[in-house]
Amino acid sequence: MKEPLYNSRIILNYVRLVEKKYPYVDLKDVLRTAGMERYQVDDEGHWFSQEQVNRFHQRLGQLVWNKDIAREAGLFASSPESLGSLRIAVCTFLGPDHSYSLFTRNVSRFSRSSVYESKKLGPQATEITVTPKPGVREESFQCANRLGYIEAMARSINLQFPRIEHPECMFRGDGRCRYVVSWASSAERALRAVTISGILLVPALLFLFSRVFSFQSALTYLLPWAIVVFLALAVIQRQYTVHTLRLMLGTVREVSEDLFDQNQENYDLARCVREIGNIIGAHNHDLDPLLQQVAAVMEEFLFFERGIIFLADDKGERLQPRAWYGVTTEQLDVVRTYPGQRLDPSMPSGISAMAYLLQKPFLVDDIERVRGELSPDVYEFARQMGIKSYITCPVIYAGKSLGVLSVDNRRTKRPLQQRDLDLLMGIASLVGVGIHATLMGKEHRERQRSFFRLARGE
């Protein structure tokens, strides 16, 4: 089944666990076997199919000395080393039943394979049911993974000694999986109850003590000790509350920062598209100034540190750099003297040439992995430019390739992701429109000049 059903964050959780606890495992081999790329796993907007997830778990199970790796991966979601998906999915300041309810309502952010529902069974118990959607066939390891996630969520919201029962399971012949989570009262609630009970018992204790000894003795000996005990309980309760609030504020801050960063990226992308559109609409002169203006807009609004726009030469034999940004002074001569990649369909000299010929984008997460597909001059250009990973997208208009747009991150090493490739394809489409409009404008001006020369009899 090739329908995208599972968000990449589920696989990323496995990957983080393996990197921490099973460093001997060759993750590249596991991902390659599953038909996954690391940049896809790192992209929170990417989804994988049931078939890919099955192959991933099967290969991982062959390499890891743990038959219960799926449940361990789910449980790992509550650890600081994980991606913090549970801390984002639920709010720790809510009660357990509300947190589980919120989790099941938002689980579609992680999985499209099943319908999740929760129901409160009492003051300290809740029920979670998972019903597969028609046509979806999950595997038993995914049930174990869910159990791990449910237990991890209990840890994330600081439940004390949660008990998780699994009375119904679709892999035992039932039509759904049902989990019942119950828990004891929190430490804070228990301390509060003890304090209130103690306050209510003080008058009775004073009365009994005064009957046995004297009222003066009760005030002298019993009351000070009662005050000390209650103050100690109050201090402990306060410290526990402060600790809980700090955890909550940390979670809220993480979520807020993630949302702010995502909103800023979306805003910058919208501005970039608008500015490039304005440039294309207003530009009717030579091609190179247009491309350089586009490169300047990309540098201002996009989070790629370096970009180069390559166009095919007049003979269609090579891709040559025409505009760029983020290139250091030392690299300018390298770019200006670079002859470009050969566009020979039988033997293209690089990945960008393949993108041009196949009209297909590529994300190269490690240039050493594709070194065998690069000609010596292309690899030397990449080495001199310090390129480690990059995205290259064809610039197309009306089904015809015009060039390619390539970007990379040189200093921050921000990992390139699948959504970056999709974003760049949109920018490349706009660049294709601008190039076509400029070339058509140039042809129109040439025809006008020819017409006036003929009219003057020249």
Side-chain angles (χ1 to χ4, degrees), residues 248-453:
M248 293 189 304
L249 290 175
T251 299
V252 173
R253 183 171 62 250
E254 289 177 13
V255 175
S256 299
E257 289 174 354
D258 289 342
L259 290 175
F260 177 81
D261 292 342
Q262 186 62 52
N263 288 336
Q264 186 64 44
E265 285 188 7
N266 292 339
Y267 177 70
D268 290 341
L269 173 59
R271 291 189 63 185
C272 180
V273 171
R274 184 181 65 187
E275 290 297 324
I276 292 177
N278 291 338
I279 291 171
I280 292 172
H283 196 90
N284 56 3
H285 300 295
D286 294 334
L287 187 57
D288 287 319
L290 167 72
L291 297 179
Q292 200 56 55
Q293 288 183 55
V294 170
V297 170
M298 291 176 61
E299 181 177 22
E300 181 179 0
F301 294 110
L302 297 186
F303 37 81
F304 306 115
E305 294 178 2
R306 181 168 56 188
I308 302 178
I309 301 174
F310 296 84
L311 294 186
D313 60 16
D314 294 337
K315 295 181 180 180
E317 295 178 350
R318 284 185 177 270
L319 279 176
Q320 298 177 328
R322 297 287 292 270
W324 51 80
Y325 72 89
V327 175
T328 65
T329 304
E330 295 79 10
Q331 295 167 346
L332 276 175
D333 288 339
V334 178
V335 175
R336 288 169 175 166
T337 59
Y338 181 54
Q341 296 188 20
R342 294 190 307 275
L343 293 175
D344 183 356
S346 62
M347 191 173 60
S349 60
I351 304 300
S352 294
M354 293 173 59
Y356 177 94
L357 295 169
L358 300 177
Q359 297 189 343
K360 176 183 176 181
F362 290 91
L363 193 160
V364 178
D365 59 352
D366 183 0
I367 197 168
E368 295 300 327
R369 288 179 56 186
V370 298
R371 183 173 180 175
E373 301 177 45
L374 307 178
S375 64
D377 59 317
V378 172
Y379 181 78
E380 180 60 21
F381 173 77
R383 188 192 66 78
Q384 292 179 339
M385 296 294 290
I387 297 172
K388 302 299 181 184
S389 62
Y390 64 98
I391 296 175
T392 183
C393 292
V395 176
I396 304 170
Y397 183 83
K400 179 182 178 181
S401 295
L402 305 174
V404 298
L405 177 57
S406 297
V407 297
D408 72 320
N409 288 324
R410 183 171 53 88
R411 293 184 300 273
T412 63
K413 308 300 182 184
R414 174 189 178 274
L416 298 172
Q417 302 176 353
Q418 179 70 36
R419 63 178 178 180
D420 298 333
L421 187 149
D422 297 335
L423 181 156
L424 202 65
M425 279 298 293
I427 300 296
S429 298
L430 284 176
V431 174
V433 172
I435 293 173
H436 175 77
T438 302
L439 293 176
M440 290 299 99
K442 184 177 180 180
E443 290 183 10
H444 178 68
R445 290 192 297 273
E446 289 295 333
R447 285 197 298 268
Q448 284 185 323
R449 293 192 188 100
S450 298
F451 173 80
F452 286 124
R453 283 197 296 268

Side-chain angles (χ1 to χ4, degrees), residues 8-18 41 72-79 82-85 145 149:
S8 59
R9 283 173 287 187
I10 297 176
I11 301 299
L12 182 57
N13 202 47
Y14 276 93
V15 170
R16 295 275 175 84
L17 169 64
V18 172
V41 174
E72 184 181 11
L75 187 58
F76 187 71
S78 64
S79 67
S82 181
L83 64 162
S85 55
N145 188 238
Y149 268 102

Side-chain angles (χ1 to χ4, degrees), residues 88-121:
I88 295 175
V90 299
C91 298
T92 57
F93 51 82
L94 296 177
D97 50 341
H98 292 294
S99 295
Y100 276 109
S101 176
L102 183 63
F103 175 77
T104 55
R105 288 201 301 269
N106 288 276
V107 77
S108 59
R109 295 168 52 193
F110 303 90
S111 173
R112 300 168 178 164
S113 65
S114 305
V115 177
Y116 285 67
E117 297 176 316
S118 67
K119 183 174 66 174
K120 184 176 180 180
L121 300 180

Side-chain angles (χ1 to χ4, degrees), residues 55-316:
R55 293 205 304 266
F56 175 89
H57 185 269
Q58 182 181 16
R59 183 55 179 160
L60 183 61
Q62 293 171 350
L63 301 176
V64 172
W65 303 330
N66 182 1
K67 295 182 179 180
D68 205 18
I69 184 67
R71 183 162 185 171
E72 184 181 11
L75 187 58
F76 187 71
S78 64
S79 67
E81 297 87 354
S82 181
L83 64 162
S85 55
L86 290 180
R87 292 194 297 274
I88 295 175
V90 299
C91 298
T92 57
F93 51 82
L94 296 177
D97 50 341
H98 292 294
S99 295
Y100 276 109
S101 176
L102 183 63
F103 175 77
T104 55
R105 288 201 301 269
N106 288 276
V107 77
S108 59
R109 295 168 52 193
F110 303 90
S111 173
R112 300 168 178 164
S113 65
S114 305
V115 177
Y116 285 67
E117 297 176 316
S118 67
K119 183 174 66 174
K120 184 176 180 180
L121 300 180
Q124 293 172 202
T126 192
E127 175 189 80
I128 298 173
T129 58
V130 182
T131 307
K133 293 181 179 179
V136 175
R137 182 179 178 180
E138 290 189 339
E139 298 295 331
S140 58
F141 71 84
Q142 291 171 296
C143 177
N145 188 238
R146 276 195 294 269
L147 276 168
Y149 268 102
I150 292 171
E151 186 175 352
M153 190 168 64
R155 295 186 181 186
S156 297
I157 57 181
N158 302 313
L159 286 186
Q160 301 297 314
F161 309 110
R163 181 183 179 187
I164 302 174
E165 301 174 83
H166 190 22
E168 294 181 38
C169 181
M170 64 182 76
F171 302 102
R172 296 197 300 262
D174 299 310
R176 62 178 184 174
C177 281
R178 183 164 68 94
Y179 312 89
V180 177
V181 186
S182 55
W183 56 89
S185 297
S186 67
E188 182 182 8
R189 187 176 299 175
L191 284 171
R192 189 184 302 117
V194 169
T195 304
I196 294 173
S197 301
I199 292 174
L200 296 176
L201 286 173
V202 166
L205 290 174
L206 285 174
F207 175 75
L208 292 174
F209 199 88
S210 62
R211 292 293 299 270
V212 175
F213 300 100
S214 67
F215 186 72
Q216 184 65 30
S217 298
L219 293 178
T220 303
Y221 299 107
L222 180 61
L223 187 59
W225 280 107
I227 293 174
V228 169
V229 171
F230 294 145
L231 286 176
L233 289 173
V235 169
I236 295 172
Q237 181 183 339
R238 181 180 180 279
Q239 293 297 324
Y240 188 88
T241 303
V242 169
H243 175 69
T244 303
L245 287 174
R246 284 176 179 170
L247 290 176
M248 293 189 304
L249 290 175
T251 299
V252 173
R253 183 171 62 250
E254 289 177 13
V255 175
S256 299
E257 289 174 354
D258 289 342
L259 290 175
F260 177 81
D261 292 342
Q262 186 62 52
N263 288 336
Q264 186 64 44
E265 285 188 7
N266 292 339
Y267 177 70
D268 290 341
L269 173 59
R271 291 189 63 185
C272 180
V273 171
R274 184 181 65 187
E275 290 297 324
I276 292 177
N278 291 338
I279 291 171
I280 292 172
H283 196 90
N284 56 3
H285 300 295
D286 294 334
L287 187 57
D288 287 319
L290 167 72
L291 297 179
Q292 200 56 55
Q293 288 183 55
V294 170
V297 170
M298 291 176 61
E299 181 177 22
E300 181 179 0
F301 294 110
L302 297 186
F303 37 81
F304 306 115
E305 294 178 2
R306 181 168 56 188
I308 302 178
I309 301 174
F310 296 84
L311 294 186
D313 60 16
D314 294 337
K315 295 181 180 180

